[in-house]
Amino acid sequence: MINKSLLLTYLYLLIYITLSSGVILYNKWVLSPKYFNFPFPITLTMIHMGFSGAVAFLLVRVFKVVSPVKMTFEIYLTCVIPISAFFASSLWFGNTAYLHISVAFIQMLKALMPVATFLMAVLCGTDKLRWDVFSNMLLVSVGVVVSSYGEIHFNVVGTVYQVTGIFAEALRLVLTQVLLQKKGLTLNPITSLYYIAPCSFMFLFVPWYFLEKPGMEVSQIQFNFWIFFSNAICALALNFSIFLVIGRTGAVTIRVAGVLKDWILIALSTVVFPESTITGLNIIGYAIALCGVVMYNYLKVKDVRASQLAPDSLPERIAKASFDWKLEKKSSDLQTPDSSNGVTSSASDLKSDEEAPLIPSSRLSYIGRTQLGGQGS
């Protein structure tokens, strides 16, 4: 049984790495003028959100796989709308970056995710400014700067879009923790999609109407139904796989899988897209940044373990045990065939590559803050 469970965990990790890499490469291929030539990132993101929202609606309202949560207008206005806005922004900016810079360089820039999340958490008051963590953030930043300096096809516009998307995703993660937990609201993957995806779609509609609609009317664009349908399915499946992995592993395992995925994706991108080249300075800078990321995650895991070992009073232990049991129940529910996925996010750390799930529980929020990766859009 132990071996079977371990093999199943490795299978989920393999599925996550495969889907994450595939979605990113697929999005790049669709958007790139050199390949499918559909240079409308907002439209592509809207397709993902519309498809995800429709699937979530069917699962919640028609097939009744899960029940909707008690969502008041006040919670929707103060929590769901801001989170949806930053979620949509992170996907929009991340997809736009594909038009200007290579997949490999985008993955290297994503090493900034812990830096952005830490800064946003400090500004929002959910984390304290610590010099040991700050020194790690400086190391990550130096590594990204070195990697950028070594980029042959460096593009300022693409870099600004990607970095902006990273900070939007970081703020979304922090807001998810602050707003939803403050209201005592927990969303499973499907209900997250049910509430967040339609709102994100509407948020994207405004910039789409002014920025992309006029261009689509005058340009000769290709629209292949099966390509966009399969692309949306892959994006949805990726977010489901993120939550499956979260339900079976811990933060350290996911972080290691995320690093492995980044290296695989960087190597694959140079094969799939020959124009994408990697220099020695790219690799050196990315390695420096990864050292800072690993040290940051080590400190965070240490903090969590220390807080878990802290002595509690009897009522606190009872409350914590009850809360943990509920989390375990939710986690096991996510592993059933009917509810095996959800966009939101994103997840968690899983980042702006459409790997950025909306993570409501304390455990998932922690994982998100440690940069799961990334969520591909």
Side-chain angles (χ1 to χ4, degrees):
M1 292 299 294
I2 294 177
N3 290 337
K4 183 179 179 181
S5 177
L6 192 62
L7 285 175
L8 195 59
T9 300
Y10 283 133
L11 176 62
Y12 286 165
L13 286 170
L14 179 61
I15 291 173
Y16 156 66
I17 292 174
T18 302
L19 285 173
S20 178
S21 303
V23 167
I24 293 171
L25 294 174
Y26 202 168
N27 286 347
K28 173 67 174 179
W29 181 81
V30 169
L31 293 168
S32 176
K34 295 183 179 180
Y35 298 96
F36 186 71
N37 191 25
F38 186 80
F40 300 104
I42 304 177
T43 305
L44 183 64
T45 309
M46 288 177 67
I47 292 173
H48 291 173
M49 292 296 97
F51 182 77
S52 299
V55 171
F57 178 83
L58 291 174
L59 292 175
V60 173
R61 292 297 182 183
V62 179
F63 299 106
K64 300 188 184 302
V65 175
V66 295
S67 301
V69 300
K70 293 181 179 179
M71 181 73 66
T72 65
F73 178 76
E74 187 261 340
I75 293 177
Y76 195 87
L77 187 65
T78 59
C79 297
V80 174
I81 290 180
I83 291 171
S84 300
F86 285 106
F87 180 52
S89 299
S90 67
L91 298 179
W92 165 17
F93 294 138
N95 279 336
T96 304
Y98 289 130
L99 298 175
H100 305 281
I101 54 181
S102 68
V103 172
F105 187 47
I106 285 175
Q107 293 307 117
M108 295 176 187
L109 288 176
K110 284 179 182 176
L112 282 173
M113 189 64 191
V115 179
T117 308
F118 175 69
L119 291 176
M120 292 298 103
V122 170
L123 290 176
C124 292
T126 61
D127 207 344
K128 295 180 180 179
L129 183 61
R130 293 168 41 188
W131 291 110
D132 53 350
V133 176
F134 184 71
S135 62
N136 291 336
M137 298 300 97
L138 285 179
L139 185 62
V140 173
S141 302
V142 169
V144 172
V145 169
V146 172
S147 181
S148 301
Y149 185 77
E151 176 66 15
I152 294 177
H153 305 293
F154 182 80
N155 182 285
V156 175
V157 175
T159 302
V160 169
Y161 268 117
Q162 182 59 38
V163 173
T164 304
I166 289 172
F167 275 88
E169 171 63 10
L171 187 54
R172 193 268 299 171
L173 287 171
V174 175
L175 283 178
T176 300
Q177 181 190 16
V178 172
L179 297 179
L180 293 186
Q181 289 184 354
K182 184 179 179 181
K183 300 293 183 181
L185 185 66
T186 57
L187 301 176
N188 63 44
I190 298 175
T191 52
S192 296
L193 276 177
Y194 178 74
Y195 292 109
I196 300 296
C199 189
S200 297
F201 181 91
M202 294 307 300
F203 175 82
L204 290 166
F205 181 82
V206 176
W208 172 81
Y209 186 84
F210 291 103
L211 298 178
E212 291 190 358
K213 183 176 179 290
M216 296 177 72
E217 292 175 345
V218 299
S219 62
Q220 298 294 323
I221 64 168
Q222 302 182 63
F223 191 90
N224 185 304
F225 171 80
W226 293 109
I227 285 181
F228 288 101
F229 180 68
S230 60
N231 181 263
I233 287 180
C234 289
L236 183 64
L238 167 62
N239 287 283
F240 282 146
S241 71
I242 289 171
F243 282 92
L244 282 175
V245 170
I246 289 173
R248 297 191 65 90
T249 63
V252 177
T253 304
I254 296 175
R255 184 55 245 166
V256 171
V259 172
L260 177 62
K261 183 266 299 182
D262 289 342
W263 282 109
I264 292 174
L265 187 53
I266 289 172
L268 273 177
S269 66
T270 60
V271 176
V272 178
F273 306 110
E275 72 277 6
S276 178
T277 55
I278 301 176
T279 66
L281 206 54
N282 279 147
I283 299 299
I284 292 173
Y286 187 54
I288 294 172
L290 279 185
C291 289
V293 170
V294 171
M295 291 169 63
Y296 169 76
N297 287 323
Y298 172 74
L299 288 174
K300 281 297 182 182
V301 171
K302 244 176 77 173
D303 291 344
V304 170
R305 288 177 178 170
S307 65
Q308 290 174 345
L309 293 175
D312 296 324
S313 65
L314 181 58
E316 289 173 335
R317 288 202 301 270
I318 294 174
K320 183 181 293 184
S322 175
F323 180 69
D324 289 342
W325 178 82
K326 291 178 182 177
L327 284 183
E328 286 298 322
K329 188 174 185 300
K330 286 179 179 293
S331 178
S332 64
D333 289 342
L334 293 180
Q335 296 171 35
T336 61
D338 290 333
S339 59
S340 60
N341 178 317
V343 159
T344 107
S345 322
S346 154
S348 8
D349 54 325
L350 288 155
K351 23 196 256 34
S352 108
D353 314 350
E354 194 111 33
E355 327 178 54
L358 297 174
I359 305 177
S361 72
S362 57
R363 178 186 176 200
L364 300 190
S365 296
Y366 162 70
I367 297 174
R369 294 200 307 275
T370 54
Q371 189 206 4
L372 295 182
Q375 262 199 325
S377 185

